[in-house]
Amino acid sequence: MSGRQLHLNVNILHAGFSPAAWRMEGSDPRASFDVNHYVRVAQIAERGTFDAVFLADQAAISDRVDFRPLTSLEPTIVLAMVAANTERIGLIATASTTYNEPYNIARRFATLDHASNGRAGWNIVTSADVAQSRNFGLEKPVAHASRYERASEFAAVVKALWDSWEEEAFIGDPTTGRFVDAGRVHPIAHSGKHFSVHGPHNIPRPPQGHPVIVQAGGSDDGRELAAEHAEAVFSASQSFEESLDYTKDLRRRATRYGRPDNSILVLAGLATIIGSTEAEAKRRQDELRDLIPLEYSLARLAGVLQVDRSRLELDAPLPGDIPLPADGGHTFFRATVALARREGLTVRGLIRALNGGTGHRTIVGTPKDIADDIETWFTAGAADGFNLMPDVLPHGLDVFVDEVVPILRRRGLFRHQYSGRTLRDHLGLARPDNPYAAAAE
């Protein structure tokens, strides 16, 4: 396979993208709490030669736990178990810069990278919901600009810690008795607005140099964070044109930080509902929709938009004066409002179009329909790949791997087998140079 290569991740959203996935025949209601479920899904993705599995994170109950599964298990621990039961697939975990400290995150992801022989990735989020804030001593989310200012400094400190050991620092020579060359282990002596971290790290430099840095935020601040630090982004664009504009904007911003304009991979969020015929796919979509209480969907929509539910009339359009949340999540707000305005949807129609989700684009159709859409976006440069969210797991991913992946391979878009062993290999990303080595040259 030559030329530009399509990238595919799977976002393991517990039982599946649909809030009702756990109620479908063959699903395991306990999947979200069962590490073996994540292992099984990762093994299916590895059979399909996916680049990586991805885990979101929530350090709170932020949804209707009486109705649907929740994101609860700590992702790096889950992915350590996945690493032990897979060989090649990448392992991307989310960790918040708002409710952690740089040293422990640098240590956690360096450990995962060592444990997996170079397959780790860190998805940077800043966390905007009230429930998580209250679990960390705050009554409301940190202001949007402050969260992202902290995140930028946080990422810089983490990378400095990963670089604090030179490649040749570890010696381990029983004959001479030299374990580490201490002269090649450097304090970082960071003192900034948000953090004071002396260092050095207590772990040798990770196998990938840096675990791959991923970011998922569509706000202006989020794009700046990605342009400065990210190597891949998870986007939530609802339309081809929106994604193309997002990709171009992100790459323009990257050049301002002295980075090549192709240095960031854009992986668009894509939920899939697949049937052997279009009619079968739509029946499956309707079955999942019908299992979601309207009250739940309405409350979830109000939460994304951060408006009182009383303002949302089911058979009327969204109110025209809904403001962008000052300190809430901007990405899904923008995606949801854009979908409603573009399609002229009522609130009821918007709820149906979202399929119980919060703003990611959904394709409903045959394997060929899915492959055609992926090819269109990829070949036109609207995305470098996709962060897939099958409707029901593991079944929806099984179908994608068995029926969509072969089409993509026949068209020369996707690999038949892995050519490397690290996540950087899969994504075509260079291993970062150690700055101390560069300084010595």
Side-chain angles (χ1 to χ4, degrees):
M1 183 174 174
S2 61
R4 186 164 163 259
Q5 176 179 294
L6 175 70
H7 299 289
L8 294 175
N9 296 338
V10 60
N11 184 355
I12 308 181
L13 288 169
H14 27 79
F17 170 75
S18 170
W22 67 279
R23 300 180 64 187
M24 295 289 281
E25 184 179 355
S27 291
D28 178 7
R30 286 190 56 84
S32 59
F33 308 123
D34 182 1
V35 172
N36 293 313
H37 166 73
Y38 297 89
V39 170
R40 285 192 295 272
V41 174
Q43 289 171 338
I44 295 168
E46 187 168 68
R47 176 165 60 83
T49 62
F50 277 41
D51 296 86
V53 297
F54 164 65
L55 295 185
D57 192 28
Q58 283 279 330
I61 295 177
S62 300
D63 206 342
R64 285 281 302 276
V65 71
D66 58 326
F67 167 69
R68 66 165 301 170
L70 66 157
T71 302
S72 58
L73 299 182
E74 201 287 316
T76 57
I77 294 176
V78 173
L79 290 180
M81 186 74 168
V82 171
N85 287 277
T86 55
E87 295 180 358
R88 299 288 188 94
I89 196 159
L91 313 162
I92 302 173
T94 298
S96 172
T97 57
T98 303
Y99 305 126
N100 285 289
E101 292 291 321
Y103 199 96
N104 68 309
I105 291 301
R107 187 169 179 234
R108 193 181 306 167
F109 281 88
T111 300
L112 182 60
D113 207 47
H114 280 287
S116 63
N117 296 312
R119 293 190 277 148
W122 169 34
N123 177 45
I124 301 174
V125 299
T126 64
S127 304
D129 62 280
V130 173
Q132 289 191 85
S133 300
R134 290 177 175 173
N135 285 343
F136 292 89
L138 303 172
E139 281 304 306
K140 62 181 181 178
V142 177
H144 192 275
S146 296
R147 291 202 313 271
Y148 278 94
E149 181 184 69
R150 175 186 167 99
S152 181
E153 185 180 342
F154 193 114
V157 174
V158 167
K159 290 191 289 187
L161 287 167
W162 287 335
D163 286 336
S164 64
W165 285 56
E166 296 185 38
E167 306 290 356
E168 300 82 10
F170 177 74
I171 298 172
D173 186 342
T175 303
T176 65
R178 292 195 75 198
F179 187 67
V180 168
D181 181 348
R184 293 180 181 269
V185 180
H186 306 275
I188 67 169
H190 175 86
S191 179
K193 180 176 180 179
H194 298 276
F195 304 107
S196 178
V197 181
H198 187 267
H201 210 201
N202 64 348
I203 303 174
R205 198 167 192 245
Q208 294 185 101
H210 299 169
V212 174
I213 294 181
V214 182
Q215 194 269 342
S219 69
D220 188 69
D221 289 331
R223 295 182 192 204
E224 282 299 305
L225 179 65
E228 184 177 6
H229 294 291
E231 297 167 285
V233 296
F234 296 149
S235 67
S237 301
Q238 276 283 350
S239 71
F240 174 89
E241 293 77 16
E242 183 185 345
S243 187
L244 196 60
D245 288 345
Y246 171 83
T247 300
K248 290 177 179 177
D249 176 62
L250 193 61
R251 288 175 175 159
R252 280 195 300 268
R253 292 172 188 252
T255 62
R256 297 207 301 266
Y257 290 93
R259 305 178 63 188
D261 63 2
N262 61 351
S263 59
I264 305 175
L265 298 171
V266 175
L267 307 175
L270 181 62
T272 55
I273 302 175
I274 307 174
S276 57
T277 65
E278 184 178 349
E280 181 183 301
K282 288 190 179 300
R283 282 197 300 272
R284 182 177 174 89
Q285 180 186 35
D286 288 340
E287 183 179 0
L288 284 163
R289 283 171 168 172
D290 291 345
L291 289 172
I292 304 171
L294 182 60
E295 177 200 353
Y296 166 80
S297 295
L298 190 61
R300 194 172 197 202
L301 177 60
V304 169
L305 300 177
Q306 294 204 10
V307 298
D308 191 278
R309 284 162 56 183
S310 64
R311 296 199 64 201
L312 301 178
E313 298 181 30
L314 281 172
D315 296 310
L318 289 179
D321 60 347
I322 298 178
L324 183 70
D327 297 320
H330 289 185
T331 301
F332 288 118
F333 176 94
R334 293 180 190 274
T336 300
V337 172
L339 173 62
R341 306 290 192 227
R342 186 178 64 252
E343 302 294 333
L345 299 172
T346 63
V347 169
R348 190 189 303 275
L350 177 59
I351 286 171
R352 289 186 63 78
L354 291 171
N355 295 287
T358 57
H360 279 298
R361 190 170 68 101
T362 304
I363 304 181
V364 183
T366 66
K368 181 180 181 300
D369 294 332
I370 309 299
D372 288 346
D373 186 276
I374 286 173
E375 181 175 13
T376 296
W377 279 50
F378 174 68
T379 56
D384 298 295
F386 296 87
N387 201 31
L388 296 175
M389 291 163 283
D391 54 354
V392 179
L393 289 169
H395 175 264
L397 182 61
D398 251 329
V399 173
F400 189 99
V401 166
D402 290 340
E403 300 188 27
V404 180
V405 166
I407 299 173
L408 298 173
R409 286 172 173 166
R410 287 196 297 270
R411 296 179 184 180
L413 300 173
F414 193 57
R415 66 172 73 89
H416 287 259
Q417 59 188 17
Y418 291 109
S419 58
R421 290 193 169 274
T422 71
L423 179 54
R424 289 187 175 276
D425 290 337
H426 305 339
L427 296 174
L429 297 171
R431 188 178 188 274
D433 294 330
N434 189 298
Y436 294 103
E441 293 178 356

